[in-house]
Amino acid sequence: METLGPANAFPEEPEIAEAVRAAELAIDAGIKPERIPQGSSGSYFIRNTVGNIIGVFKPKNEEPYGQLNPKWTKWLHKVCCPCCFGRDCLVPNQGYLSEAGASLVDQKLNLNIVPKTKVVWLTSDAFNYSTIDRAKSHGKKLAMERVPTVGRRFNRLGLPPKVGSFQLFVDGYRDAEYWLRRFESEAISEDAARDLQQQFERLVILDYIIRNTDRTNDNWLLSYNSTTQGKGDKNEVVSDGSEAKVGVQVAAIDNGLAFPFKHPDSWRAYPFHWTWLPLAQVPFSPETCEMLRPTLSDPSFVHELEEDLLRLFKEDKGFDRATYENQMSVIRGQLLNLEKALHQGLSPFQLVQLPAVRMERHPAIETSHLPSFSPFQEVYTQNFRRQKPFFSWW
């Protein structure tokens, strides 16, 4: 297999490394990715050599406003009616970094609700390429076949690689809308109800920190297994010998519209749609508070999170340090509000009522005159959103 771009090597993540390698082998074997009809961008189911879906790949240049998005209606919407489409609080065409960033935040907080996601490079003629790229690829193949001495001089044969997010596929889940409607008419056990509430709280925490502007009930998933509910056994062994989770489990997918560089303040408010669920009226559980409060109040955690996100966002050629700092200012403000909500025993509904705040970092200043000497100290200021979106009731 020829080199597709930067090596897809993830030594610290063997599970996703194995899946990406299986995807590469399947593409080499002629098993093409399958474009997903839903959504507003080019995204693909990726299969292994036996045909099982193992991941979802979202190329950068096929995002909603990417130059090669096969679903051109999204581009038409923004051109014809920019006030209703497009999100001016987000960095354009960096949804793939947002997907990977959500997975990073999920792992840092041990929420375990985002399927593992990484930035990878893949190529397949099933992806959407320009006519020029396809013509170049065809010409190089002909040259290699007919004039091998010339063909060997090409740096790359075939289509150029695409960079994008690769997310592990989760099986046995359905969209939240389906299960929430069933739970309205079907009674579930106390254990399952507690699982649902705590898993929902983790979703709230993730979305609030990364300021996800696109979380509706059809882009988060639920898995519900009631086989042994009430028997005191939280796990059961399925037919293939593996252990299956009994209870409720959330999978937070479609995280591409997050990490804004400002709070929405123009046309639309982009509210958290889970705010209207009855689950959002219940105060955060003691278990959630005990798990997260020590972490959120630790300055070193925030610093490490920023450094990890910096390494991720710098993978994009269009990385801008000022924009990154603005994104971190929003995240710091969200973390501040979240810590306050957990300390005061608020509910998710009350959390989103807190004023939108940014914690802006000023350039480091020398503090050698202080008794406890430190070469540099970071200074932050709080800035509250002054302007509300025109349609703030959305």
Side-chain angles (χ1 to χ4, degrees), residues 318-385:
F319 172 77
D320 177 71
R321 184 65 187 238
T323 302
Y324 161 79
E325 288 294 341
N326 286 328
Q327 290 173 298
M328 294 305 104
S329 296
V330 173
I331 287 180
R332 293 186 207 107
Q334 298 295 89
L335 290 170
L336 181 69
N337 279 349
L338 179 58
E339 182 185 1
K340 181 188 300 183
L342 296 179
H343 179 73
Q344 296 179 359
L346 303 183
S347 67
F349 178 79
Q350 293 170 314
L351 168 64
V352 301
Q353 306 304 312
L354 296 177
V357 61
R358 289 161 47 96
M359 292 289 292
E360 297 183 355
R361 173 166 50 195
H362 291 270
I365 60 174
E366 293 189 15
T367 57
S368 56
H369 62 282
L370 296 179
S372 55
F373 173 73
S374 175
F376 295 99
Q377 181 180 9
E378 292 176 331
V379 178
Y380 299 91
T381 57
Q382 295 184 27
N383 285 322
F384 294 91
R385 182 179 60 189

Side-chain angles (χ1 to χ4, degrees), residues 98-115:
S98 180
E99 295 277 5
S103 178
L104 188 156
V105 173
D106 173 83
Q107 293 182 59
K108 294 287 288 186
L109 289 172
N110 293 317
L111 299 176
N112 299 317
I113 60 171
V114 179

Side-chain angles (χ1 to χ4, degrees), residues 111-113 172-176 179-180 183 187-203 220-229 233-235 244-251 279:
L111 299 176
N112 299 317
I113 60 171
Y173 286 74
R174 298 194 65 165
D175 62 83
W179 283 114
L180 293 175
F183 292 156
I188 60 176
S189 69
E190 292 183 4
D191 286 345
R194 184 170 57 252
D195 278 352
L196 175 60
Q197 184 66 41
Q198 293 182 4
Q199 288 287 303
F200 171 76
E201 290 172 3
R202 296 186 178 205
L203 176 73
W220 59 286
L221 309 177
L222 277 173
S223 172
Y224 175 51
N225 187 346
S226 61
T227 304
T228 61
Q229 287 292 328
D233 183 10
K234 293 295 292 180
N235 296 300
K245 169 75 174 178
V246 176
V248 178
Q249 182 70 28
V250 162
L279 294 167

Side-chain angles (χ1 to χ4, degrees), residues 37 131 195 244 247 263 269 274 302 325 372:
T131 303
D195 278 352
H263 290 287
W274 38 252
V302 180
E325 288 294 341
S372 55

Side-chain angles (χ1 to χ4, degrees), residues 123-168:
T123 188
S124 169
D125 59 7
F127 300 151
N128 192 37
Y129 285 95
S130 67
T131 303
I132 293 177
D133 282 335
R134 292 190 181 276
K136 286 181 178 180
S137 174
H138 181 68
K140 288 179 180 181
K141 288 180 180 178
L142 288 178
M144 187 66 179
E145 293 173 358
R146 299 179 180 179
V147 191
T149 55
V150 175
R152 294 193 196 100
R153 298 180 182 179
F154 295 137
N155 293 327
R156 182 189 67 242
L157 296 176
L159 294 165
K162 284 180 178 267
V163 63
S165 63
F166 182 94
Q167 184 173 87
L168 294 181

